[in-house]
Structure formats: structure tokens, C-alpha cells
């Protein structure tokens, strides 16, 4: 019994906690209908996000790693490579809006998830977490932890580029079928 426990503990030392398995990889973004962070009257659903490759980034004002990640997200937003949709997770609306006003807003759209229901449906362990979603609304990758330039260049950007190429190919195929009809 001690030997078996020792093997599991030894193996655990070499696991990367940022690459936790996600039960949702390969599945659609969960159904949701939540308000926009900046405007409680404007509702957003998962259907509003379909049609292009995007990053869904879970963040909060109480999260120190989110503060570390924020300048990198601002830099990515300025490059306009891929839309970044924020999910403000278990936070206070006023504090979150104030933080984005003060620090800059990298998000194309911000979803307010005060109770963490969407986060729970996504299987979020904590903030920050990022999900790469394809043009069909399918989660293709989950990254736990702050995104920085190394993570972007080595992990996220190659996948985003691949998914954007897949989307463009699918769009061309649809256009070709439409002309043939």
C-alpha cells in the first residue's frame, strides 16, 4: 500500500496544474443568458458569441493572477488577432467596471457572472482561466492560470491560428456550395 501511494505521489510531482483536463473540451459552450458587465439591462447568451474563433477569459478583481495577466491581455487586444470575451466571475459589478476603467479594458465583451453559475458550468477551478472556442461554439482548449507572452506564443496563438484557418476553410466551402446551388 505504501509503495502504491508513493508511486501516485511521485507521479503527481510532474503533473502540470495549468493543463488540467476539461470535461468540456470538444463540447459546446454551456447554455447561458447573463447580463453585460457594463449594462445590467443588456443580456448576452452563448448564441451571441458563435460565428468566429474567440477566447473566453474568466477573471475577477479579487484575483491577483488576473492583475498579472491583465497587461498581456491589453497587448493582445491591441493586436486585434482574436476577440477576447471576459467572464467577470463571482465579483461585484461596480468594482469590476471601476477596475477596467482604471486599468484598461481588453475585452470585446464582458459577461457578468456574479454567482459563478457559468463558471461552474465551464468547470472553472478559479480565476484566471481561458477557453479557446472555435467558430461553431465548441470549446477546443482550456488553460488554467494567467496568460502571458510565453503561454500565448507557445500554446494559445498556434491553436487560435489553426482554428481561424479551419473557420476560413469552412466558410470558403460554404460559399462554394452556395454558388453551385
Amino acid at each position: 500500500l505504501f509503495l502504491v501511494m508513493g508511486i501516485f505521489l511521485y507521479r503527481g510531482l510532474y503533473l502540470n496544474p495549468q493543463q488540467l483536463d476539461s470535461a468540456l473540451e470538444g463540447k459546446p459552450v454551456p447554455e447561458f443568458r447573463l447580463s453585460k458587465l457594463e449594462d445590467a439591462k443588456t443580456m448576452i447568451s452563448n448564441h451571441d458569441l458563435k460565428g468566429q474563433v474567440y477566447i473566453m477569459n474568466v477573471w475577477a478583481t479579487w484575483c491577483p493572477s488576473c492583475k498579472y495577466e491583465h497587461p498581456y491581455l491589453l497587448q493582445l487586444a491591441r493586436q486585434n488577432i482574436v476577440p477576447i470575451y471576459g467572464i467577470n466571475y463571482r465579483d461585484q459589478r461596480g468594482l469590476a467596471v471601476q477596475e477596467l476603467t482604471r486599468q484598461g479594458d481588453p475585452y470585446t465583451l464582458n459577461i457578468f457572472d456574479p454567482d459563478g453559475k457559468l463558471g461552474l458550468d465551464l468547470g472553472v477551478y478559479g480565476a484566471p482561466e481561458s477557453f479557446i472556442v472555435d467558430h461553431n461554439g465548441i470549446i477546443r482548449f482550456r488553460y488554467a492560470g494567467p496568460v502571458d507572452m510565453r503561454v500565448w506564443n507557445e500554446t494559445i496563438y498556434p491553436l487560435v491560428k489553426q482554428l481561424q484557418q479551419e473557420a476560413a476553410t469552412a466558410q470558403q466551402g460554404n460559399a462554394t456550395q452556395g454558388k453551385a446551388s
Side-chain angles (χ1 to χ4, degrees):
L1 183 62
F2 179 74
L3 183 61
V4 170
M5 290 290 289
I7 291 170
F8 280 113
L9 289 173
Y10 180 77
R11 185 178 180 284
L13 291 174
Y14 295 97
L15 294 176
N16 183 349
Q18 293 175 330
Q19 295 190 347
L20 300 168
D21 289 336
S22 173
L24 291 182
E25 281 184 22
K27 295 184 178 151
V29 170
E31 295 276 334
F32 70 88
R33 183 168 163 73
L34 293 167
S35 68
K36 187 174 179 182
L37 176 66
E38 302 83 358
D39 179 10
K41 295 175 189 166
T42 302
M43 300 305 285
I44 302 165
S45 78
N46 56 306
H47 301 289
D48 297 325
L49 307 181
K50 270 187 179 178
Q52 62 184 336
V53 175
Y54 62 90
I55 297 173
M56 196 179 319
N57 178 258
V58 179
W59 70 281
T61 59
W62 47 261
C63 164
S65 296
C66 298
K67 291 179 189 332
Y68 167 81
E69 173 184 69
H70 196 81
Y72 298 102
L73 294 180
L74 284 169
Q75 188 175 353
L76 293 176
R78 282 191 292 271
Q79 293 173 9
N80 203 26
I81 295 170
V82 62
I84 305 170
Y85 299 131
I87 299 174
N88 183 245
Y89 180 66
R90 294 186 178 199
D91 211 344
Q92 295 177 29
R93 187 185 303 268
L95 288 176
V97 170
Q98 191 175 37
E99 177 97 0
L100 292 176
T101 301
R102 190 173 53 252
Q103 300 296 325
D105 187 351
Y107 303 107
T108 305
L109 186 68
N110 239 314
I111 301 160
F112 186 51
D113 187 19
D115 301 325
K117 183 172 175 0
L118 177 56
L120 184 65
D121 290 347
L122 286 166
V124 168
Y125 290 93
E129 288 192 26
S130 296
F131 297 84
I132 313 307
V133 182
D134 71 15
H135 67 287
N136 293 315
I138 305 297
I139 297 171
R140 299 291 289 269
F141 183 74
R142 175 186 161 275
Y143 184 79
V147 172
D148 58 19
M149 282 302 121
R150 183 189 59 77
V151 171
W152 171 255
N153 289 326
E154 293 176 8
T155 307
I156 295 176
Y157 180 60
L159 179 58
V160 164
K161 206 162 99 175
Q162 173 195 331
L163 294 175
Q164 287 173 333
Q165 289 171 345
E166 288 175 14
T169 301
Q171 211 171 26
Q172 287 173 343
N174 290 342
T176 304
Q177 280 183 336
K179 286 181 184 178
S181 298

